[in-house]
Amino acid sequence: MLRLRRAELAAALEADARRLAGVEARLRVIESEGHIPTSDVVIKKIPGWGHLPDEVWGRVAELTATAGTASPEAIGPVIGPLYVRLTELLAQAGIRPSGPGIARYAPAPGDESVTVHAGIQVAVDADHAGARDAGIAFVDLPPIETAATVVHHGPMADLLPTLQILAHWIASHGYVSAGYARELYLECPPGDESAWVTELQEPVGRAS
């Protein structure tokens, strides 16, 4: 009983820490209102991820789950275990990642729920001998013809201010969002989230 209680308290402390991180991120956003830097936002086309010879990235191996909202504090506890499990399954199937990870999101049933897709680039097809029974989905991502992009430095728990920069730029430059931003994980050294480098790629269109 004592061990169970200890586990419950540890889980509660972890949840409180995530909520506190979210509150601190929101406070930084509020403090920065009126002087949000937008010079680092770039409009560009994002190539497709697939197995065709003329495409830049390879096929994506991914797992999915549902988060209650699209907020960083709701997605964090979902996407982290997905990547841990995906890495394990790829290793068991004898498949090595051939490029960076990429996360994408889509609306899910429910008022604010989102489907979380945690993916890693791999240079194999879906009928790879080691992948058939691994329980992994293999997908080809279509290109994004027009994306507003910005690079986020640091932990994903601190993503909210960067999302605010991106949203402010989109609104102030005559664009409208056309979906959730993809997250391309350029650098993710283990054990040091402060050194992470992530590019956000939000599909946009011209405001009418």
Side-chain angles (χ1 to χ4, degrees), residues 90-101:
L90 289 175
Q92 292 170 10
I95 301 172
R96 297 183 61 182
S98 59

Side-chain angles (χ1 to χ4, degrees), residues 20-81:
L20 179 59
V23 170
E24 291 174 343
R26 288 191 178 91
L27 287 174
R28 286 194 294 273
V29 170
I30 293 170
E31 291 168 355
S32 68
E33 287 290 352
H35 49 84
I36 296 177
T38 59
S39 58
D40 293 333
V41 177
V42 176
I43 288 287
K44 61 184 179 181
K45 176 178 178 178
I46 306 299
W49 285 41
H51 62 289
L52 299 178
D54 58 344
E55 292 186 327
V56 176
W57 304 109
R59 174 163 283 175
V60 177
E62 67 176 26
L63 296 178
T64 62
T66 302
T69 70
S71 65
E73 57 265 32
I75 288 175
V78 175
I79 198 169

Side-chain angles (χ1 to χ4, degrees), residues 9 14 30 59 61 64 82 94 103 106 109 126 136 139 167 194-196 205:
L9 289 172
E14 184 179 353
I30 293 170
R59 174 163 283 175
T64 62
L82 281 180
I136 305 169
V139 299
S194 65
W196 284 16

